[in-house]
């Protein structure tokens, strides 16, 4: 069974940092591009970042560029999102998502990040 | 960035109705468009990719069409489990963008 399991969310103060992790199983992680997508409470979906299967490309949304860093460890079947200088507007559920032929075909259940003093 | 607009933003429908949701891109994106369904408290679920290809396991009452700037998601006969919010998404270029969503309720 294909699974994506996120962890690392929580409550953090403005200006603080968090590192999200996503452990995958049930498919060959090293052959897929991966993404982070977030959804603020009661709002729509926002793409955050993408990383290719071999790290040959990495992209960020303007709203997080310079503050967030996406990375992966293919040996550990894991995807990461290092989030620094967090702001209240970063409060959201963060989803780890698999990319397959121009579609996000598998989603994790999400991890909640709350930025508040 | 390519902007996506969806219409309507919400609609009320009954079981058995034919429902059509439109997604318009601010510039041509060929067929690099996907549709997702999301229910409260759940992650989105892929329905349609490449504008008109049905994802495996998705009921055939869902269909997608369009290319360039105008796209449509159609539910041929609405079922109780289809009440949800639907999003379009473009993959033509980074940043990847989503439409604002269309809420389908009773």
């Amino acid at each position: 069974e294909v699974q994506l399991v996120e962890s690392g969310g929580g409550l953090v103060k403005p200006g603080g940092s968090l590192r999200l992790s996503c452990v995958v199983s049930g498919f060959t992680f090293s052959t897929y591009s991966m993404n982070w997508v977030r959804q603020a409470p009661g709002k729509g979906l926002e793409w955050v970042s993408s990383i290719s299967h071999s790290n040959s490309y990495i992209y960020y949304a303007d709203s997080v560029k310079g503050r967030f860093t996406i990375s992966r460890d293919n040996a550990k079947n894991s995807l990461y999102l290092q989030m620094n200088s967090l702001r209240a507007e970063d409060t959201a559920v963060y989803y780890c998502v698999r990319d397959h032929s121009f579609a996000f075909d598998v989603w994790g259940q999400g991890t909640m990040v709350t930025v508040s003093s | 960035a390519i902007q996506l607009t969806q219409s309507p933003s919400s609609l009320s429908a009954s079981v058995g109705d034919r429902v059509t949701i439109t997604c318009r891109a601010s510039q041509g994106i060929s067929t690099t468009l996907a549709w997702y369904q999301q229910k409260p408290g759940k992650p989105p679920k892929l329905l349609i990719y490449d504008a008109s290809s049905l994802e495996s396991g998705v009921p055939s009452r869902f269909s997608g069409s369009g290319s360039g700037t105008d796209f449509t998601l159609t539910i041929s006969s609405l079922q109780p489990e289809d009440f949800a919010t639907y999003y379009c998404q473009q993959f033509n270029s980074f940043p990847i963008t989503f439409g604002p969503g269309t809420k389908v309720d009773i």
Side-chain angles (χ1 to χ4, degrees):
Chain A
E1 181 190 4
V2 174
Q3 273 196 314
L4 309 176
V5 180
E6 304 95 336
S7 62
L11 175 63
V12 62
K13 290 182 168 53
S17 298
L18 276 179
R19 189 194 196 205
L20 306 184
S21 299
C22 172
V23 178
V24 315
S25 59
F27 65 98
T28 306
F29 178 67
S30 62
T31 64
Y32 287 87
S33 296
M34 297 294 295
N35 308 268
W36 290 98
V37 174
R38 69 184 181 183
Q39 186 169 36
K43 302 298 184 182
L45 302 168
E46 180 187 16
W47 168 79
V48 173
S49 183
S50 297
I51 185 168
S52 65
H53 66 94
S54 60
N55 294 312
S56 59
Y57 74 73
I58 288 176
Y59 293 98
Y60 298 98
D62 285 346
S63 57
V64 307
K65 200 173 294 182
R67 300 187 299 122
F68 290 11
T69 302
I70 192 172
S71 62
R72 63 190 296 161
D73 185 336
N74 287 340
K76 294 184 177 179
N77 287 344
S78 294
L79 178 72
Y80 306 101
L81 187 67
Q82 177 67 44
M83 304 186 297
N84 298 330
S85 303
L86 282 161
R87 306 166 179 167
E89 54 265 36
D90 296 318
T91 294
V93 174
Y94 284 73
Y95 294 104
C96 169
V97 191
R98 189 177 82 170
D99 191 331
H100 181 59
S101 297
F102 299 109
F104 288 178
D105 68 335
V106 182
W107 297 63
Q109 288 300 307
T111 187
M112 183 69 204
V113 172
T114 303
V115 184
S116 175
S117 55
Chain B
I2 296 173
Q3 297 185 10
L4 299 178
T5 57
Q6 288 182 235
S7 60
S9 56
S10 65
L11 66 90
S12 294
S14 300
V15 173
D17 284 354
R18 181 181 181 88
V19 170
T20 298
I21 299 169
T22 297
C23 178
R24 176 164 289 176
S26 59
Q27 63 189 75
I29 59 170
S30 185
T31 58
T32 58
L33 187 105
W35 289 96
Y36 300 86
Q37 176 194 68
Q38 188 179 31
K39 297 179 180 179
K42 298 293 187 182
K45 173 187 176 183
L46 176 65
L47 300 175
I48 301 287
Y49 62 95
D50 200 25
S52 60
S53 297
L54 191 68
E55 173 69 349
S56 176
V58 174
S60 59
R61 62 181 180 273
F62 291 93
S63 64
S65 66
S67 67
T69 59
D70 294 312
F71 301 86
T72 299
L73 173 70
T74 300
I75 309 172
S76 60
S77 178
L78 199 66
Q79 297 302 300
E81 60 269 30
D82 300 337
F83 292 96
T85 299
Y86 294 84
Y87 296 93
C88 59
Q89 178 196 26
Q90 68 81 21
F91 287 87
N92 185 75
S93 61
F94 287 96
I96 292 169
T97 49
F98 289 90
T102 295
K103 185 176 182 181
V104 176
D105 58 22
I106 300 173

